[in-house]
């Protein structure tokens, strides 16, 4: 690919002062998705890794040797500016994440409420073998706990496997795994989804048209996610595959197991990202040591630039110079502050990049470094809201309450991220709020509001 | 631009309202379970009590939110360049009231909306056939009222005019109480709309608008709709 070659040529010059910046970068996103096999696709080993981290690279301020930029920058004066920038852009990042999370949840809720297929019980995944059709409450609880244990251990095993693969540099294997899983999502699940939607609305469609549509959708999706594409399109595809995955979970997880799994996953997330020997943390640290991005194909990035594909170790070092591609919107937005940004994750640029690696270095525009959120977080947020929509006795208040709770949790997590500036688990706070609000709204608020509404009382 | 910072606290406000609703429901729920289920009058009385508690809690949480915003505002002001916070308190009051109103309105009306799609006949059991339309009007009034109350409330807290605060709480209680007169819609809808208009005027004056401003806007914008004028005129003081 042309991009690679040009970039490797220009790798030498800017790197020297940049490498010190890069090693000081905040860590890239630790993430992977958990493995899952549906009842239908029993053959494919399409495991996906769960993403459970979110991090934000702060606007990095250079150390003052920005001589080629021509603007001397003092470090002390930068501290205050950095703080204010942090807050200002912190708010912006929150919005940038609110929109996709909201969109994903809207898609899931809309589908659940309209397409009957996803609320019918048609069997269970092999990861949750214990049925919940038992007569006694205690037995049901026990079964759901056992299901949870099995599911979480599958996730842990997959995660450790992934970390080992990453540690021993089996990149091809991981890449192949990712491609296979996104293939399955983009083609098979989309086909099922489209089929069910068409059935619900009683729209006739012939197979050639369907084939054409799905082929185009899937092929463009593969290219966008794993290679290059417009940012909005890539974001849209990531949202869609998260929604599809969440719908599969909602359909195939039995009720109580789903809630217990959600709780257990957030605890696991907390431990995996924060404990010193946690697999996710090891993943992050390994990636940091090698100055590489981690599996960029399965992270949602709200930044104006994003990595495509997996970085090879030798090309990682050239990340600093080659990343100065900006969207036109970004150019207009900032206020011409001085800091240059080096991010070891931005290993590839889009087409204008290779032709202007040096000139862009001097350009002095402020780059909007977006927040990155793992797709697993999207999936589990949507599972929570979707389950609330599916099982809350047709009540919209519960869905809304869970939605607000999750957004608040995300807000708080991003706040903590701005404070701590390292990779944080995005699931625990949101899922806790979501669960609390779900159960309390369903059991306490709903009777109250229903009684009020029946008398047409307003509070 | 201050816009992102305005958008961000939208969910904290909704969250605060939700928590207040949660607590009120908890109190109602506990009281219902502790009381005699069969007695209809008692249940109705408990409902009234629950509604009143909910109103008081909402106002309490509005106050708590005001305190939180003040603190955040001070924090923002200290780190900004010119010592002023990027958002004016009036804007925050407006957005806060609006989001309280939105979440309250949505919670009140969305189930009704969802039911209105399905097959059915309104009022088949002898209830009023105007249920949907009056619900729509009531929700609209409530959203507007929350917005106005937000503006007045924050201004009153800022200037420490506690009688204003009391008046806001009283009008909220009054509005909620008036809805108890449903389905006698003449008795409830009309007074509620009168209250809405009065509160709107009060909020307008509190936000610094005046007849003069309205005339100024009219002359340069040539709008006819007085309600639209109110909002565009409301924005004029913000640019001070």
């Amino acid at each position: 690919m042309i991009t690679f070659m040009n970039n490797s040529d220009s790798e030498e010059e800017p790197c020297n002062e940049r490498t010190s910046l890069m090693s000081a970068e905040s860590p890239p996103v630790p993430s992977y998705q958990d493995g899952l096999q549906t009842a239908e696709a029993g053959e494919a080993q399409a495991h996906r890794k769960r993403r459970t981290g979110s991090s934000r690279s702060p606007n990095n301020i250079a150390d003052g040797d920005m001589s080629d930029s021509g603007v001397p920058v003092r470090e002390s004066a930068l501290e205050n500016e950095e703080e204010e920038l942090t807050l200002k852009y912190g708010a912006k990042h929150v919005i940038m994440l609110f929109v996709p999370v909201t969109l994903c949840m809207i898609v899931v809720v809309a589908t659940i409420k309209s397409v009957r297929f996803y609320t019918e019980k048609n069997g269970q995944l092999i990861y949750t073998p214990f049925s919940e059709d038992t007569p006694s409450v205690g037995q049901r609880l026990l079964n759901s706990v056992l299901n949870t244990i099995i599911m979480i251990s599958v996730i842990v095993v997959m995660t450790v496997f992934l970390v080992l693969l990453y540690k021993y540099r089996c990149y091809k294997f991981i890449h192949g795994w990712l491609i296979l899983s996104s293939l399955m999502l983009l083609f098979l699940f989309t086909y099922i989804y489209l089929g069910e939607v068409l059935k619900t609305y009683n729209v006739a469609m012939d197979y050639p048209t369907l084939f054409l549509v799905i082929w185009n959708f899937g092929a463009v999706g593969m290219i966008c996610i794993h290679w290059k594409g417009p940012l909005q399109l890539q974001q849209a595809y990531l949202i869609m595959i998260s929604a599809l995955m969440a719908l599969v979970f909602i359909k195939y997880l039995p009720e109580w197991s789903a809630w217990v799994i959600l709780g257990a996953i957030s605890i696991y997330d907390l431990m995996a990202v924060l404990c010193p020997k946690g697999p996710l943390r090891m993943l992050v640290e390994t990636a940091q040591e090698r100055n590489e991005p981690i599996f960029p194909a399965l992270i949602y990035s709200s930044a104006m630039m994003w990595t495509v594909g997996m970085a090879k170790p030798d090309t990682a070092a050239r990340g600093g110079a080659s990343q100065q591609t900006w969207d036109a919107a970004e150019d207009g937005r900032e206020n011409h502050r001085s800091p240059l940004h080096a991010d070891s994750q931005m290993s590839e640029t889009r087409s204008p990049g290779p032709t202007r690696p040096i000139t862009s270095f001097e350009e002095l525009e402020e780059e909007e470094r977006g927040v990155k959120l793992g797709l697993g977080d999207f999936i589990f947020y949507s599972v929570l809201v979707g389950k609330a929509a599916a099982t809350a006795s047709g009540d919209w208040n519960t869905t809304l309450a869970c939605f607000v709770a999750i957004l608040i949790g995300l807000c708080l997590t991003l706040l903590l991220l701005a404070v701590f500036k390292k990779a944080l688990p995005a699931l625990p706070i949101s899922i806790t709020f979501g669960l609390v609000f779900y159960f309390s709204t369903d059991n306490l608020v709903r009777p109250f509001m229903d009684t009020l509404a029946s008398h047409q009382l307003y509070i | 631009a201050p816009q992102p910072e305005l958008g961000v606290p939208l969910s904290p406000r909704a969250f605060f309202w939700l928590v207040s609703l949660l607590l009120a429901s908890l109190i109602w729920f506990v009281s219902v379970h502790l009381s005699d289920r069969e007695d209809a009058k008692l249940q109705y009385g408990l409902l009234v009590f629950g509604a009143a508690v909910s109103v008081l809690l909402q106002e309490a949480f509005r106050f708590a939110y005001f305190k939180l915003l003040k603190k955040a505002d001070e924090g923002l002001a200290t780190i900004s360049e010119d010592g002023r916070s990027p958002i004016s308190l009036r804007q925050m009051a407006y957005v806060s009231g609006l989001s309280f109103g939105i979440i309250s309105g949505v919670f009140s009306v969305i189930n009704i909306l969802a039911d209105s799609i399905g097959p059915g006949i309104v009022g088949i059991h002898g209830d009023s056939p105007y249920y949907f339309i009056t619900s729509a009007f009531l929700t609209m009034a409530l959203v507007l009222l929350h917005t106005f109350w937000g503006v007045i409330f924050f201004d009153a807290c800022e200037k420490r005019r506690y009688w204003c605060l009391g008046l806001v709480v009283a009008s909220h209680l009054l509005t909620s109480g008036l809805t108890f007169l449903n389905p006698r819609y003449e008795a409830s809808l009309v007074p509620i709309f009168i209250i809405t208009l009065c509160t709107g005027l009060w909020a307008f004056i509190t936000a610094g608008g005046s007849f003069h401003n309205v005339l100024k806007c009219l002359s340069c914008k040539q709008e006819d709709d007085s309600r639209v004028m109110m909002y565009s005129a409301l924005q004029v003081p913000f640019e001070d």
Side-chain angles (χ1 to χ4, degrees), chain A residues 332-360:
Chain A
R333 195 176 3 154
E334 35 67 4
N335 48 3
H336 294 288
R337 296 216 186 214
S338 47
L340 289 179
H341 301 277
D343 188 347
S344 57
Q345 307 178 30
M346 302 302 168
S347 55
E348 284 184 48
T349 59
R350 289 188 285 147
S351 36
T355 57
R356 34 171 263 212
I358 314 278
T359 54
S360 55

Side-chain angles (χ1 to χ4, degrees), chain B residues 213-233:
Chain B
N213 282 341
V214 176
L215 280 181
K216 205 160 58 160
C217 276
L218 269 175
S219 58
C220 46
K221 294 214 177 135
Q222 288 159 355
E223 294 269 1
D224 284 327
D225 188 354
S226 65
R227 196 170 277 273
V228 172
M229 271 332 297
M230 202 187 311
Y231 283 112
S232 61

Side-chain angles (χ1 to χ4, degrees), chain B residues 1-183:
Chain B
Q3 299 315 316
E5 284 140 327
L6 282 180
V8 165
L10 180 76
S11 16
R13 277 175 282 240
F15 183 68
F16 273 66
W17 187 87
L18 273 180
V19 173
S20 81
L21 182 64
L22 198 68
L23 289 175
S25 322
L26 182 64
I27 294 176
W28 177 79
F29 194 75
V30 167
S31 66
V32 162
H33 274 267
L34 289 179
S35 70
D36 180 16
R37 286 293 189 96
E38 309 305 315
D39 191 355
K41 272 223 155 317
L42 181 64
Q43 292 300 312
Y44 195 72
L46 278 179
L47 198 62
V48 174
F49 168 67
V53 165
S54 159
V55 166
L56 290 173
L57 275 173
Q58 280 180 43
E59 298 300 328
F61 271 82
R62 209 200 290 268
F63 186 69
Y65 189 69
F66 169 76
K67 282 270 176 244
L68 187 70
L69 270 187
K70 280 291 283 179
K71 231 178 244 176
D73 199 36
E74 280 157 22
L76 277 175
T78 48
I79 67 167
S80 85
E81 320 171 300
D82 47 3
R84 276 174 9 109
S85 79
I87 329 167
S88 81
L89 198 65
R90 289 229 186 93
Q91 283 178 320
M92 282 202 279
Y94 172 65
V95 184
S96 150
L98 187 65
S99 51
F100 253 61
I102 287 179
I103 186 82
S104 156
V106 165
F107 254 68
S108 310
V109 94
I110 192 142
N111 279 329
I112 300 178
L113 277 179
D115 286 336
S116 70
I117 300 178
I121 304 177
V122 189
I124 195 170
H125 287 293
D127 300 309
S128 161
Y130 301 117
Y131 186 80
F132 285 146
I133 190 88
T134 48
S135 296
F137 275 114
L138 275 175
T139 313
M140 177 182 86
L142 204 68
V143 173
L144 288 173
L145 274 173
H146 267 289
T147 316
F148 300 148
W149 283 329
V151 172
I152 302 173
F153 194 93
F154 275 48
D155 192 66
C157 283
E158 188 71 18
K159 302 200 175 108
R160 302 194 181 279
R161 288 200 214 130
Y162 292 118
W163 60 273
C164 275
L165 273 187
L167 213 54
V168 166
V169 178
S171 76
H172 194 168
L173 279 170
L174 181 66
T175 313
S176 183
L178 277 173
T179 57
F180 279 79
L181 293 177
N182 283 330

